[in-house]
Amino acid sequence: MAQELGNIQGQEQSLGQEQKLTAAQVAFMRMLEMPVDDLRERIEKELEENVALEKDDSGADDTESPESLESQERKEAADGPEPQENLMDQGTIDEIEYFESERPGGGGRGGDDDAYTIDDPDLPQFRDTLMQQVGEYALTDHQRELLEYLIGSLDDDGLLTKKLYVLADELEVYMGIETTVEELREVLLVLQQFDPPGIGAQSLQETLVLQIRRRIEEHPDSVKWRQLLEIVEKRWEQLTLNHWNVIRERQHISEGEMRALQRMLRTLTPRPGCAPGETMAPRGASTNITADFVVEVGEDGTISVSLNERGVPTLRVSPEYEALARRSLTQMPGRTGAERRRARDYTQGCVMRATSFLYNLRSRSETMLRIMREVVAAQREFFLTGDDGAIRQFMMKDVGETLGLDISIVSRAVKDKWVDTPYGMRPMRFFFRGMGGVKREDGTQLGQDSIMQALADLIAAEDKRAPLSDERLTKILQSKGFPVARRTVAKYREKLQIPVARMRTQH
């Protein structure tokens, strides 16, 4: 498989365009790019279309361990290719004529079509709903990136508890995406238009306000919903203390109206991301943001990485079709020579396609695991502590250089993948961080580490009776060739855990 990946890299580098790769290489690259949910759908489609591919119900586990994959590759390298791999040279899959009438077994596949589905309607699906709605809005690519990051930053109640300026810093430092609080606020307003109502609120009060406003949109003539909105917006303190008598007096409403408003309030939910009466979803629950990897940390500090292949069936080439594909032309079904040739070509084509599909599945699993292990090794401190600030400089090209993979392969393996960590879901790209820092006028890059070191040196040498303000530090750094903004200086100072100037004063 390593040789196959090397061939893919070499051809991609020399040709530069995916359409110039062989059909088998293109199929692998596309499969590598698929998140696990898409992979399940692709497998089911292949099972429906290729009679030579079937589920292996012989008792094997649904997933192969990395060790078994590696040992299998070593065995294949030592033993040589299986006989059916010779069929790869006999033509293009798409050119093989479908020989429906000669299917062994009469044509039906049978089996339990739902044997490996994992959707559970009793589990929260709010991220599923949100991701499906992204495409309903006219957004730029940049806005879509921001919106997807906001969705990934929601807590399990569907609320956005992080401040927008914190998210802006995260996007810049960890994702290499420059944005502003104003841009994030605009995108957040879009998110708050999504269903279920109240999603993306930054507080309990705001989620109730959003839900009430949605009811007003649905019932524009409703006086009571407008009364309840006024109470939630203007009488929040009394409402949280359950001082309804005070609210009734100040709103000049009757006791009957108060009870009606209380009943209406109880139809709202403080947790828009969960179904009514639902508890937190367990780890690994089915949402649209489904984990492609699961990373677990043991009490002794050991970190394990596994692919989330729950619901992915173990597959094999049909032994019946394998045997049929090896028959001589005279043994094939059919009355005439042309019919027998068609039967042979169809059968061998199905076996070839199934063999190639299984090979790509194994290659995908091994490649993704190798890349994720490199990510864990590079970001070990984060996985041990859960501190987002522990994410260090790490780029996709670093993975490629270490593993001998082209960056296009790494990029496809990272694209749209999510990691279930002990500290919550993270997009895989979260663990990659560019050089950071800033560029000089001559185009050279100043790394974040060098800027932070210069900042730390300035503060260490300052007069503690009159510490340097962030503005003064910015000017000094700029005079030394570091074209940084005051906001950047403040951010780096906080990352160094150095307090503001007034807190550093010593008399």
Side-chain angles (χ1 to χ4, degrees):
M1 189 191 71
Q3 182 178 0
E4 177 77 9
L5 291 178
N7 292 339
I8 292 173
Q9 296 170 39
Q11 291 191 41
E12 184 160 25
Q13 289 172 338
S14 61
L15 298 175
Q17 295 182 358
E18 185 176 276
Q19 60 264 31
K20 295 186 180 181
L21 300 175
T22 67
Q25 291 166 343
V26 170
F28 167 73
M29 298 294 263
R30 288 176 177 169
M31 188 176 290
L32 182 64
E33 199 169 32
M34 292 178 184
V36 65
D37 287 336
D38 292 347
L39 180 65
R40 293 188 189 104
E41 293 178 8
R42 179 68 185 88
I43 289 173
E44 186 159 355
K45 183 174 184 289
E46 191 69 20
L47 282 167
E48 292 173 356
E49 294 179 353
N50 188 353
V51 293
L53 186 68
E54 64 183 24
K55 297 179 190 177
D56 184 358
D57 298 324
S58 60
D61 293 337
D62 281 353
T63 59
E64 296 183 81
S65 68
E67 291 75 21
S68 67
L69 286 171
E70 292 167 3
S71 62
Q72 186 169 0
E73 292 296 332
R74 288 195 295 270
K75 180 179 183 299
E76 289 176 356
D79 296 344
E82 293 293 327
Q84 63 266 28
E85 290 185 356
N86 296 328
L87 298 172
M88 299 289 280
D89 299 326
Q90 298 187 19
T92 304
I93 293 171
D94 295 336
E95 295 173 351
I96 295 170
E97 186 172 352
Y98 191 81
F99 199 68
E100 177 73 26
S101 62
E102 300 298 341
R103 284 190 187 188
R109 175 170 295 282
D112 182 3
D113 291 339
D114 297 325
Y116 51 88
T117 58
I118 65 168
D119 292 333
D120 185 346
D122 294 329
L123 293 176
Q125 298 289 328
F126 78 93
R127 290 192 181 92
D128 189 3
T129 303
L130 299 179
M131 294 300 286
Q132 289 173 1
Q133 293 173 82
V134 171
E136 299 176 7
Y137 291 80
L139 302 169
T140 65
D141 290 342
H142 179 61
Q143 289 173 324
R144 185 172 289 103
E145 280 187 322
L146 299 183
L147 182 54
E148 290 177 353
Y149 194 83
L150 289 183
I151 292 173
S153 300
L154 297 176
D155 64 19
D156 289 328
D157 292 340
L159 304 182
L160 188 65
T161 55
K162 286 187 177 181
K163 301 295 185 184
L164 292 181
Y165 71 85
V166 174
L167 293 171
D169 285 347
E170 287 181 2
L171 281 159
E172 180 182 348
V173 175
Y174 304 136
M175 311 284 291
I177 300 174
E178 294 186 3
T179 187
T180 64
V181 170
E182 289 71 24
E183 281 185 328
L184 284 174
R185 186 174 290 111
E186 289 178 4
V187 174
L188 179 59
L189 291 176
V190 174
L191 176 58
Q192 290 177 349
Q193 297 176 44
F194 285 17
D195 290 321
I199 211 78
Q202 295 184 280
S203 67
L204 172 59
Q205 181 183 21
E206 186 178 22
T207 193
L208 296 179
V209 167
L210 290 172
Q211 292 174 60
I212 295 170
R213 286 178 176 168
R214 187 71 62 86
R215 300 291 183 92
I216 293 173
E217 290 176 8
E218 297 168 353
H219 308 282
D221 297 328
S222 174
V223 175
K224 284 188 169 50
W225 280 115
R226 294 182 186 279
Q227 286 179 322
L228 186 59
L229 177 63
E230 185 177 356
I231 290 171
V232 173
E233 287 183 328
K234 296 183 178 180
R235 310 295 179 194
W236 181 247
E237 184 177 354
Q238 289 84 9
L239 189 61
T240 57
L241 296 173
N242 204 30
H243 290 172
W244 275 96
N245 288 331
V246 176
I247 293 172
R248 183 169 65 85
E249 291 176 4
R250 294 184 178 177
Q251 293 298 121
H252 308 289
I253 56 178
S254 66
E255 190 165 342
E257 289 174 321
M258 180 187 72
R259 292 198 187 98
L261 291 171
Q262 288 174 328
R263 286 193 298 270
M264 294 168 67
L265 184 63
R266 285 194 289 270
T267 67
L268 307 178
T269 174
R271 307 174 65 200
C274 298
E278 191 170 42
T279 58
M280 286 282 197
R283 179 186 177 110
S286 174
T287 67
N288 187 69
I289 304 179
T290 304
D292 297 270
F293 300 92
V294 177
V295 177
E296 296 179 302
V297 180
E299 294 182 359
D300 59 351
T302 57
I303 304 175
S304 64
V305 180
S306 61
L307 281 172
N308 174 21
E309 292 186 338
R310 181 185 175 193
V312 177
T314 301
L315 304 175
R316 68 178 181 182
V317 178
S318 166
E320 189 173 14
Y321 264 81
E322 273 191 310
L324 186 58
R326 292 192 179 99
R327 289 183 186 179
S328 65
L329 187 60
T330 58
Q331 294 175 310
M332 295 300 293
R335 291 183 299 275
T336 67
E339 287 176 343
R340 288 195 297 271
R341 280 191 295 274
R342 288 170 60 199
R344 180 195 61 186
D345 290 347
Y346 167 70
T347 304
Q348 291 182 343
C350 288
V351 172
M352 174 187 70
R353 176 171 168 172
T355 301
S356 179
F357 189 81
L358 292 176
Y359 181 84
N360 285 338
L361 274 178
R362 293 200 310 270
S363 300
R364 175 188 183 276
S365 296
E366 183 180 273
T367 303
M368 288 182 61
L369 280 169
R370 291 176 69 204
I371 291 171
M372 190 64 216
R373 286 176 181 143
E374 283 299 312
V375 169
V376 169
Q379 308 296 5
R380 180 177 175 82
E381 186 178 352
F382 165 82
F383 287 103
L384 291 177
T385 65
D387 179 9
D388 288 0
I391 297 294
R392 71 178 186 85
Q393 178 184 314
F394 187 58
M395 303 175 72
M396 291 184 192
K397 70 176 184 179
D398 299 329
V399 178
E401 291 172 359
T402 301
L403 299 180
L405 299 174
D406 189 82
I407 192 170
S408 64
I409 292 177
V410 180
S411 176
R412 283 175 167 86
V414 170
K415 184 178 184 294
D416 297 329
K417 307 300 191 305
W418 288 77
V419 185
D420 187 4
T421 78
Y423 320 104
M425 287 279 205
R426 296 291 193 280
M428 195 171 175
R429 63 185 182 181
F430 167 81
F431 301 104
F432 293 92
R433 190 178 108 189
M435 289 292 291
V438 294
K439 285 185 178 179
R440 288 192 172 103
E441 291 182 1
D442 61 5
T444 58
Q445 183 80 21
L446 280 172
Q448 176 180 304
D449 293 342
S450 62
I451 299 174
M452 291 177 68
Q453 184 60 56
L455 176 62
D457 291 343
L458 282 176
I459 294 175
E462 70 185 358
D463 182 352
K464 299 305 178 185
R465 293 171 296 180
L468 299 170
S469 66
D470 287 349
E471 185 175 357
R472 180 61 181 152
L473 288 167
T474 301
K475 291 180 179 179
I476 295 174
L477 286 170
Q478 289 174 347
S479 69
K480 292 179 176 290
F482 295 91
V484 293
R486 191 194 63 78
R487 179 172 177 268
T488 303
V489 169
K491 179 170 63 179
Y492 289 175
R493 175 180 52 72
E494 290 170 1
K495 286 180 69 67
L496 290 166
Q497 298 184 337
I498 297 174
V500 296
R502 68 175 181 275
M503 301 297 292
R504 303 197 306 270
T505 304
Q506 296 178 9
H507 298 289

